[in-house]
Amino acid sequence: MIDTHVHLWRIGANGHSWPTPDLPAIHRDFLMDDWRALAGAAAVEGVVLVQSQPDARDTEWLLALAAQEPQVLAVTGWTDVDAPDAVAVVERLARAPKLRALRPMVQDLAADWYDDPARDPVWDAMTRAGLVLEALVRPRHLPSLARLAARHPALTIVIDHGAKPVLDDLTEWQADLAALAVLPRVRCKLSGLLTERGPADPPAAIAPAAAALVALFAPDRLMWGSDWPVLALAGDYGGWQAQARALVPAEHHAAVFDGTARATYGIAA
Protein backbone atom coordinates (compact mmCIF):
# COMPACT_ATOMS: atom_id res chain seq x y z
CA MET A 1 0.00 0.00 0.00
CA ILE A 2 1.28 3.45 -0.96
CA ASP A 3 0.28 6.74 0.63
CA THR A 4 0.48 9.28 -2.20
CA HIS A 5 0.18 12.45 -0.13
CA VAL A 6 2.29 13.10 2.95
CA HIS A 7 3.84 16.37 4.07
CA LEU A 8 6.86 16.78 6.33
CA TRP A 9 8.11 20.01 7.79
CA ARG A 10 10.35 21.57 10.42
CA ILE A 11 8.97 24.71 12.00
CA GLY A 12 11.24 27.61 11.07
CA ALA A 13 13.43 25.62 8.67
CA ASN A 14 13.61 24.76 4.96
CA GLY A 15 11.52 27.77 3.92
CA HIS A 16 8.74 27.02 6.40
CA SER A 17 5.90 29.55 6.40
CA TRP A 18 2.87 27.32 7.14
CA PRO A 19 1.33 25.99 9.37
CA THR A 20 1.18 29.00 11.62
CA PRO A 21 0.70 29.01 15.42
CA ASP A 22 -3.07 29.45 15.06
CA LEU A 23 -3.17 25.76 14.07
CA PRO A 24 -1.70 24.22 17.24
CA ALA A 25 -2.63 20.64 16.26
CA ILE A 26 -0.09 20.71 13.44
CA HIS A 27 2.25 23.55 14.42
CA ARG A 28 5.20 21.33 15.27
CA ASP A 29 7.81 19.32 13.41
CA PHE A 30 6.56 16.32 11.45
CA LEU A 31 9.25 13.90 10.26
CA MET A 32 9.56 10.42 8.78
CA ASP A 33 9.58 8.70 12.17
CA ASP A 34 6.26 10.36 13.01
CA TRP A 35 4.76 9.06 9.76
CA ARG A 36 6.24 5.58 10.27
CA ALA A 37 4.58 5.29 13.67
CA LEU A 38 1.18 5.64 11.99
CA ALA A 39 1.89 3.94 8.68
CA GLY A 40 3.26 0.78 10.23
CA ALA A 41 0.04 0.19 12.14
CA ALA A 42 -1.90 0.83 8.91
CA ALA A 43 0.30 -1.50 6.82
CA VAL A 44 1.34 1.32 4.50
CA GLU A 45 4.75 0.48 3.08
CA GLY A 46 5.69 3.45 0.91
CA VAL A 47 5.04 7.15 0.59
CA VAL A 48 5.03 10.03 -1.87
CA LEU A 49 6.31 13.13 -0.10
CA VAL A 50 4.60 16.33 -1.27
CA GLN A 51 5.96 19.85 -0.86
CA SER A 52 4.20 22.02 1.67
CA GLN A 53 6.09 25.30 1.27
CA PRO A 54 6.40 27.48 -1.84
CA ASP A 55 10.16 27.50 -1.42
CA ALA A 56 12.97 25.67 -3.22
CA ARG A 57 14.59 24.85 0.13
CA ASP A 58 11.62 22.65 1.06
CA THR A 59 11.97 20.64 -2.15
CA GLU A 60 15.73 20.21 -1.74
CA TRP A 61 15.19 18.99 1.83
CA LEU A 62 12.57 16.44 0.73
CA LEU A 63 14.88 15.18 -2.01
CA ALA A 64 17.70 14.79 0.51
CA LEU A 65 15.39 12.80 2.78
CA ALA A 66 14.27 10.67 -0.15
CA ALA A 67 17.87 9.78 -0.94
CA GLN A 68 18.25 8.36 2.58
CA GLU A 69 14.82 6.77 3.06
CA PRO A 70 13.84 3.65 1.09
CA GLN A 71 10.20 4.13 2.10
CA VAL A 72 10.09 7.42 0.19
CA LEU A 73 9.16 6.20 -3.28
CA ALA A 74 8.68 9.59 -4.96
CA VAL A 75 8.73 13.32 -4.28
CA THR A 76 6.40 16.02 -5.53
CA GLY A 77 8.38 19.25 -5.38
CA TRP A 78 7.90 22.94 -6.02
CA THR A 79 9.58 25.53 -8.20
CA ASP A 80 8.69 29.07 -9.17
CA VAL A 81 7.22 28.48 -12.62
CA ASP A 82 7.23 32.24 -13.28
CA ALA A 83 10.96 32.65 -12.68
CA PRO A 84 13.07 33.58 -15.72
CA ASP A 85 15.09 30.36 -15.37
CA ALA A 86 12.11 28.11 -14.63
CA VAL A 87 12.72 25.78 -17.59
CA ALA A 88 16.35 25.26 -16.60
CA VAL A 89 15.35 24.59 -12.98
CA VAL A 90 12.75 22.02 -14.10
CA GLU A 91 15.39 20.26 -16.18
CA ARG A 92 17.78 20.22 -13.22
CA LEU A 93 15.19 18.97 -10.75
CA ALA A 94 14.12 16.22 -13.15
CA ARG A 95 17.57 14.66 -12.76
CA ALA A 96 16.94 13.97 -9.06
CA PRO A 97 16.30 10.22 -8.82
CA LYS A 98 13.01 10.41 -6.90
CA LEU A 99 11.60 13.73 -8.14
CA ARG A 100 8.48 12.71 -10.02
CA ALA A 101 6.17 15.76 -9.96
CA LEU A 102 6.00 19.51 -9.43
CA ARG A 103 3.17 21.32 -7.67
CA PRO A 104 2.49 25.04 -8.07
CA MET A 105 0.29 26.06 -5.14
CA VAL A 106 -2.68 27.42 -7.10
CA GLN A 107 -5.54 26.99 -4.62
CA ASP A 108 -5.57 30.65 -3.54
CA LEU A 109 -4.71 32.15 -6.94
CA ALA A 110 -6.89 33.42 -9.79
CA ALA A 111 -9.37 31.01 -11.37
CA ASP A 112 -7.74 31.39 -14.80
CA TRP A 113 -4.17 30.88 -13.55
CA TYR A 114 -3.46 27.95 -15.90
CA ASP A 115 -4.43 30.00 -18.98
CA ASP A 116 -1.31 32.17 -19.09
CA PRO A 117 0.65 31.16 -22.24
CA ALA A 118 3.87 32.48 -20.69
CA ARG A 119 3.96 29.32 -18.56
CA ASP A 120 3.60 26.91 -21.49
CA PRO A 121 7.39 26.43 -21.86
CA VAL A 122 7.47 25.14 -18.28
CA TRP A 123 4.69 22.62 -18.95
CA ASP A 124 6.53 21.57 -22.13
CA ALA A 125 9.74 21.06 -20.15
CA MET A 126 7.90 18.95 -17.60
CA THR A 127 6.38 16.85 -20.37
CA ARG A 128 9.80 16.25 -21.96
CA ALA A 129 11.22 15.27 -18.58
CA GLY A 130 8.34 12.91 -17.79
CA LEU A 131 7.30 14.91 -14.73
CA VAL A 132 3.74 15.02 -13.42
CA LEU A 133 1.95 18.34 -12.90
CA GLU A 134 0.25 18.08 -9.53
CA ALA A 135 -2.72 20.44 -9.27
CA LEU A 136 -3.47 21.92 -5.85
CA VAL A 137 -6.69 23.65 -6.85
CA ARG A 138 -10.23 24.52 -5.86
CA PRO A 139 -13.32 23.92 -8.00
CA ARG A 140 -13.10 27.34 -9.65
CA HIS A 141 -9.76 26.35 -11.24
CA LEU A 142 -11.03 23.21 -12.99
CA PRO A 143 -12.10 24.85 -16.31
CA SER A 144 -8.69 26.53 -16.63
CA LEU A 145 -6.94 23.27 -15.76
CA ALA A 146 -8.98 21.50 -18.45
CA ARG A 147 -7.85 24.06 -21.00
CA LEU A 148 -4.24 23.48 -20.01
CA ALA A 149 -4.72 19.73 -20.33
CA ALA A 150 -6.11 20.24 -23.83
CA ARG A 151 -3.11 22.37 -24.81
CA HIS A 152 -0.66 19.82 -23.41
CA PRO A 153 -2.21 16.40 -24.04
CA ALA A 154 1.02 14.51 -23.26
CA LEU A 155 1.37 16.08 -19.78
CA THR A 156 0.22 13.88 -16.91
CA ILE A 157 -1.88 15.84 -14.40
CA VAL A 158 -2.84 14.73 -10.90
CA ILE A 159 -5.65 16.64 -9.17
CA ASP A 160 -5.02 16.82 -5.44
CA HIS A 161 -7.82 16.31 -2.93
CA GLY A 162 -10.51 16.00 -5.61
CA ALA A 163 -10.09 19.77 -6.14
CA LYS A 164 -11.43 20.45 -2.63
CA PRO A 165 -15.17 20.36 -3.38
CA VAL A 166 -17.77 22.32 -1.46
CA LEU A 167 -19.52 19.28 -0.04
CA ASP A 168 -23.04 20.70 0.11
CA ASP A 169 -23.06 21.79 -3.55
CA LEU A 170 -21.38 19.28 -5.85
CA THR A 171 -23.25 19.83 -9.16
CA GLU A 172 -20.90 22.27 -10.92
CA TRP A 173 -17.80 20.67 -9.38
CA GLN A 174 -18.81 17.24 -10.66
CA ALA A 175 -19.51 18.55 -14.18
CA ASP A 176 -16.18 20.37 -14.37
CA LEU A 177 -14.32 17.36 -13.00
CA ALA A 178 -16.04 15.10 -15.52
CA ALA A 179 -14.67 17.25 -18.34
CA LEU A 180 -11.17 16.50 -17.05
CA ALA A 181 -11.84 12.85 -16.29
CA VAL A 182 -12.40 12.03 -19.97
CA LEU A 183 -8.78 12.99 -20.67
CA PRO A 184 -6.59 9.87 -20.37
CA ARG A 185 -3.58 11.56 -18.74
CA VAL A 186 -5.57 13.17 -15.90
CA ARG A 187 -5.60 11.41 -12.53
CA CYS A 188 -7.04 12.31 -9.14
CA LYS A 189 -6.27 11.77 -5.48
CA LEU A 190 -8.81 10.47 -3.01
CA SER A 191 -7.42 12.66 -0.26
CA GLY A 192 -8.08 15.82 1.69
CA LEU A 193 -11.86 15.53 1.74
CA LEU A 194 -12.27 15.33 5.50
CA THR A 195 -10.80 18.79 5.99
CA GLU A 196 -13.42 20.23 3.61
CA ARG A 197 -16.28 19.34 5.98
CA GLY A 198 -18.16 21.92 7.98
CA PRO A 199 -17.40 21.87 11.73
CA ALA A 200 -20.67 20.05 12.52
CA ASP A 201 -20.54 17.58 9.62
CA PRO A 202 -19.81 13.91 10.33
CA PRO A 203 -17.10 12.03 8.39
CA ALA A 204 -19.85 10.44 6.29
CA ALA A 205 -20.56 13.86 4.75
CA ILE A 206 -17.77 13.21 2.26
CA ALA A 207 -19.43 10.07 0.85
CA PRO A 208 -21.17 11.72 -2.17
CA ALA A 209 -17.97 13.47 -3.25
CA ALA A 210 -15.94 10.29 -2.81
CA ALA A 211 -18.49 8.32 -4.82
CA ALA A 212 -18.19 10.85 -7.64
CA LEU A 213 -14.40 10.50 -7.65
CA VAL A 214 -14.66 6.71 -7.76
CA ALA A 215 -17.18 6.86 -10.61
CA LEU A 216 -15.08 9.31 -12.64
CA PHE A 217 -11.54 8.00 -12.07
CA ALA A 218 -11.48 4.46 -10.62
CA PRO A 219 -9.86 2.08 -10.90
CA ASP A 220 -6.69 3.07 -12.72
CA ARG A 221 -6.70 6.88 -12.42
CA LEU A 222 -7.63 7.29 -8.74
CA MET A 223 -5.13 6.97 -5.90
CA TRP A 224 -5.37 7.19 -2.13
CA GLY A 225 -3.52 9.73 -0.04
CA SER A 226 -3.69 10.60 3.63
CA ASP A 227 -2.87 14.32 3.43
CA TRP A 228 -1.14 13.75 6.76
CA PRO A 229 -0.41 15.66 8.95
CA VAL A 230 -2.99 18.20 7.71
CA LEU A 231 -5.40 15.29 8.21
CA ALA A 232 -4.96 15.74 11.96
CA LEU A 233 -7.16 18.84 11.74
CA ALA A 234 -10.13 16.63 10.83
CA GLY A 235 -9.43 12.97 11.53
CA ASP A 236 -6.77 10.35 12.15
CA TYR A 237 -4.60 8.23 9.89
CA GLY A 238 -6.06 4.80 10.53
CA GLY A 239 -9.62 6.08 10.56
CA TRP A 240 -9.28 7.81 7.19
CA GLN A 241 -7.61 4.78 5.67
CA ALA A 242 -10.44 2.52 6.86
CA GLN A 243 -13.08 4.99 5.63
CA ALA A 244 -11.42 5.20 2.21
CA ARG A 245 -11.25 1.42 1.91
CA ALA A 246 -14.98 1.30 2.63
CA LEU A 247 -15.71 4.01 0.04
CA VAL A 248 -13.76 2.27 -2.74
CA PRO A 249 -15.17 -1.00 -4.10
CA ALA A 250 -13.00 -3.94 -3.07
CA GLU A 251 -12.24 -4.88 -6.66
CA HIS A 252 -10.52 -1.49 -7.08
CA HIS A 253 -8.38 -1.62 -3.93
CA ALA A 254 -5.23 -2.95 -5.60
CA ALA A 255 -5.23 -0.07 -8.06
CA VAL A 256 -6.39 2.79 -5.84
CA PHE A 257 -4.16 1.91 -2.90
CA ASP A 258 -1.07 0.86 -4.86
CA GLY A 259 -1.05 0.28 -8.61
CA THR A 260 -2.22 3.68 -9.83
CA ALA A 261 0.47 5.43 -7.80
CA ARG A 262 3.14 3.17 -9.25
CA ALA A 263 1.99 3.78 -12.80
CA THR A 264 1.60 7.53 -12.35
CA TYR A 265 4.85 8.26 -10.55
CA GLY A 266 6.99 5.60 -12.22
CA ILE A 267 7.50 3.54 -9.07
CA ALA A 268 8.86 0.06 -9.64
CA ALA A 269 7.00 -2.94 -8.25
Side-chain angles (χ1 to χ4, degrees):
M1 186 176 293
I2 295 173
D3 184 342
T4 67
H5 208 97
V6 165
H7 303 296
L8 303 178
W9 55 67
R10 288 185 184 273
I11 301 299
N14 307 310
H16 165 265
S17 59
W18 187 91
T20 46
D22 60 315
L23 296 171
I26 58 173
H27 188 255
R28 66 172 181 85
D29 294 353
F30 285 94
L31 304 173
M32 279 295 293
D33 284 345
D34 300 299
W35 173 77
R36 266 190 286 265
L38 300 172
V44 179
E45 297 176 352
V47 63
V48 178
L49 294 183
V50 179
Q51 62 80 220
S52 59
Q53 315 299 322
D55 193 295
R57 290 170 292 180
D58 180 46
T59 296
E60 296 296 342
W61 177 60
L62 294 180
L63 290 172
L65 287 176
Q68 302 167 2
E69 294 277 0
Q71 284 181 292
V72 178
L73 304 178
V75 172
T76 293
W78 177 91
T79 193
D80 181 359
V81 299
D82 293 322
D85 62 344
V87 168
V89 173
V90 167
E91 292 169 346
R92 177 182 64 81
L93 286 171
R95 294 194 288 270
K98 291 185 181 179
L99 195 283
R100 296 288 190 272
L102 292 172
R103 187 174 86 142
M105 302 182 80
V106 180
Q107 62 179 354
D108 295 322
L109 303 180
D112 62 352
W113 188 87
Y114 290 105
D115 291 333
D116 189 341
R119 299 185 181 106
D120 282 343
V122 178
W123 315 137
D124 289 335
M126 290 178 61
T127 302
R128 291 193 301 271
L131 294 179
V132 172
L133 172 61
E134 202 146 328
L136 176 63
V137 296
R138 298 189 187 276
R140 68 179 184 275
H141 299 104
L142 292 175
S144 178
L145 185 63
R147 292 189 290 270
L148 179 142
R151 294 198 313 274
H152 299 273
L155 177 64
T156 298
I157 297 171
V158 172
I159 302 169
D160 285 349
H161 313 322
K164 298 192 169 189
V166 178
L167 296 176
D168 59 0
D169 184 11
L170 297 176
T171 303
E172 186 174 357
W173 165 81
Q174 189 164 348
D176 289 339
L177 205 58
L180 279 155
V182 300
L183 303 174
R185 300 199 70 84
V186 177
R187 285 108 169 88
C188 191
K189 288 186 183 179
L190 179 61
S191 62
L193 296 180
L194 287 176
T195 50
E196 300 307 308
R197 292 177 298 147
D201 292 337
I206 72 167
L213 296 181
V214 170
L216 290 169
F217 291 100
D220 59 351
R221 292 188 297 130
L222 186 69
M223 62 190 96
W224 176 76
S226 67
D227 194 28
W228 180 89
V230 181
L231 172 68
L233 297 172
D236 65 85
Y237 198 96
W240 165 233
Q241 183 200 57
Q243 184 179 7
R245 289 180 68 84
L247 290 165
V248 175
E251 62 268 26
H252 297 336
H253 281 191
V256 172
F257 293 93
D258 183 78
T260 301
R262 293 186 185 277
T264 300
Y265 294 107
I267 300 167

